[in-house]
Amino acid sequence: MPNYNKLLIQDFLRRSDKASNPDAKGKIFEDLVVYLMKKLRGIRVEERNVLDNTNAQELDIVFRNLRHISPFDFLDPYIITECKNEAVPLSSAKCREFVAKLRSRGANSGILVASNGIAGQKKRYKYANSVIIDALTADKIKLIVIDRNEILKLNSTRDWVKLITDKFLDLTLRRAMD
């Protein structure tokens, strides 16, 4: 499986962190996620910054997942991905907003890339963690959360696939987010 350019990953993060406005910051962070996903067989960008017909909800990135050849045969055919490069862990409210986006589109899974993780991530069933467990229990929505430290550890697409697969399994089998 192809290797990632660690210097390029660090550059994406540095440029996103130093961007002059939130839109530029978000676009660069999204570009990083596109870089990570596009190296995978069977994954391609379908659309970016997708607005619903009321302009009330925006999807950052929608990836087409050709499940018969991609490593993510367990994820939806369209992988809705939210990217947040914020200085603090993502709040419960922002996690609920993403779950609502997934629910309103009938999605069974989604990926949330939050630079600093989510509030209460290491405290089991607390804060934003509880939102994700509740989405699994109430709606059968599996929300995979990836943070900056995990991205910085990636060497190859094999690492990326293992990270997402392990997180999916932890969530669905153990109702855990470790």
Side-chain angles (χ1 to χ4, degrees), residues 7 20 40 58 68 70-72 110 113 116 125 131 135 137 147 150 152-153 155 162 168 171 177:
L7 292 176
S20 60
L40 299 173
E58 180 182 32
H68 63 288
S70 95
F72 300 134
V113 184
N116 284 293
Y125 191 74
V131 171
T137 304
D147 67 32
E150 293 165 327
L152 286 169
K153 291 177 186 172
N155 291 308
K162 182 174 178 5
F168 183 88
L171 184 61
M177 297 182 58

Side-chain angles (χ1 to χ4, degrees), residues 36-168:
L36 296 173
M37 291 292 277
K38 278 180 61 174
K39 284 193 166 261
L40 299 173
R41 184 169 185 243
I43 302 289
R44 71 170 192 253
V45 175
E46 188 68 25
E47 288 189 56
R48 291 179 73 164
N49 305 313
V50 181
L51 289 169
D52 67 359
N53 66 344
T54 65
N55 291 335
Q57 292 182 339
E58 180 182 32
L59 305 177
D60 290 342
I61 311 167
V62 179
F63 292 100
R64 177 74 169 110
N65 180 23
L66 303 172
R67 296 191 292 188
H68 63 288
I69 59 171
S70 95
F72 300 134
D73 59 343
F74 52 89
L75 295 178
D76 290 341
Y78 293 93
I79 303 170
I80 298 172
T81 307
E82 185 86 354
C83 304
K84 298 289 185 190
N85 188 8
E86 299 192 5
V88 296
L90 216 56
S91 69
S92 299
K94 289 191 177 179
C95 288
R96 258 191 301 282
E97 286 174 21
F98 186 47
V99 168
K101 290 177 186 183
L102 296 171
R103 185 183 303 116
S104 70
R105 286 157 176 86
N108 296 307
S109 58
I111 298 176
L112 172 61
V113 184
S115 187
N116 284 293
I118 60 173
Q121 194 165 9
K122 301 297 181 199
K123 296 180 181 168
R124 303 282 178 213
Y125 191 74
K126 288 191 175 206
Y127 314 114
N129 222 15
S130 67
V131 171
I132 293 167
I133 299 300
D134 289 347
L136 174 66
T137 304
D139 300 308
K140 297 182 177 56
I141 294 173
K142 290 91 155 167
L143 182 53
I144 299 162
V145 178
I146 307 290
D147 67 32
R148 170 187 297 253
N149 291 331
E150 293 165 327
I151 290 171
L152 286 169
K153 291 177 186 172
L154 298 174
N155 291 308
S156 70
T157 55
R158 184 183 317 268
D159 298 337
W160 183 236
V161 169
K162 182 174 178 5
L163 178 65
I164 290 173
T165 302
D166 289 352
K167 285 179 169 275
F168 183 88

Side-chain angles (χ1 to χ4, degrees), residues 14-31:
R14 182 187 51 71
R15 287 186 296 119
S16 179
D17 291 343
K18 294 182 183 292
S20 60
N21 63 65
D23 289 338
K25 181 181 196 102
K27 174 154 184 345
I28 297 165
F29 197 63
E30 289 172 16
D31 290 343

